[in-house]
Amino acid sequence: LQLGNLYRIGEMVPRNDQLAMKWYERVGKYGLGEAHFEIAMLQLKKSAIPTNMISAYAHLSVATSLGRYKDYSADYELEKLIKELTTKQIENGQILAKKMWERIQENLQADDRRVWRDVMDKIRMKKSSSISIEQWLEAIFHERTPPPPPNIYLPEATHCS
């Protein structure tokens, strides 16, 4: 995410919206809400990234579902965008948001399988420890529990023009 931010604002590297988008997409696929917010902002603002209001809607919807962060408000930006979209555009954005969420879940599950293999390798190599294997596994996986699926759908076109 930090590399994307550096490229987006041109700090320590030349400003490059395409590279910023690349780095945001790399971390966004694992459910980082701030990355989805930044992708949407690049798609909506005057930048080198083509404007795509439906994709921006989907990214803001996912970012809103993943929660607020200290320096942005995805729900505020989403409400502003909804006023500019037609009912059909919102429906298409909802479909795209659902697909994004499914891909995030698939990526997290694949990542969890990699972590599980790493854990099993460490267990095999484990000689001694002050905690039990069960306590160790619980500590590792407690931090990796994905959040429940978000409600990425807005009420039926209540805010549409």
Side-chain angles (χ1 to χ4, degrees):
L1 181 69
Q2 296 305 321
L3 277 172
N5 291 338
L6 292 176
Y7 280 113
R8 181 180 48 80
I9 61 177
E11 185 176 316
M12 299 189 314
V13 295
R15 182 184 165 109
N16 188 321
D17 291 338
Q18 287 91 1
L19 285 175
M21 179 73 90
K22 172 188 165 187
W23 288 105
Y24 291 142
E25 287 172 342
R26 286 183 85 171
V27 295
K29 70 182 182 179
Y30 292 101
L32 185 60
E34 189 173 356
H36 286 278
F37 175 80
E38 295 296 345
I39 290 168
M41 293 298 94
L42 282 171
Q43 292 175 330
L44 291 174
K45 307 295 182 194
K46 291 184 180 177
S47 71
I49 305 300
T51 300
N52 186 335
M53 293 173 71
I54 294 171
S55 178
Y57 171 93
H59 282 286
L60 285 172
S61 181
V62 169
T64 299
S65 298
L66 292 169
R68 290 174 174 250
Y69 293 83
K70 63 182 177 187
D71 54 352
Y72 79 89
S73 179
D75 53 346
Y76 171 75
E77 294 294 335
L78 183 60
E79 287 297 320
K80 280 185 4 185
L81 180 59
I82 287 171
K83 294 174 184 173
E84 300 177 31
L85 299 176
T86 65
T87 302
K88 184 64 176 168
Q89 288 173 314
I90 290 175
E91 289 172 5
N92 289 339
Q94 290 172 342
I95 290 167
L96 184 57
K98 183 178 181 206
K99 288 178 184 176
M100 283 180 189
W101 183 253
E102 289 168 356
R103 282 193 302 266
I104 289 169
Q105 293 302 307
E106 289 168 6
N107 289 331
L108 288 174
Q109 289 171 359
D111 195 45
D112 283 345
R113 285 191 294 274
R114 282 191 293 275
V115 168
W116 180 251
R117 282 193 300 271
D118 291 346
V119 167
M120 293 307 291
D121 289 343
K122 288 177 184 173
I123 289 173
R124 285 186 204 104
M125 296 181 344
K126 183 179 180 331
K127 303 279 189 231
S128 65
S129 175
S130 60
I131 63 170
S132 70
I133 291 175
E134 291 81 10
Q135 291 170 321
W136 186 59
L137 288 173
E138 185 177 327
I140 290 172
F141 286 104
H142 176 69
E143 295 177 11
R144 298 197 45 80
T145 304
N151 178 10
I152 57 175
Y153 297 104
L154 293 177
E156 284 293 319
T158 54
H159 301 26
C160 299
S161 52

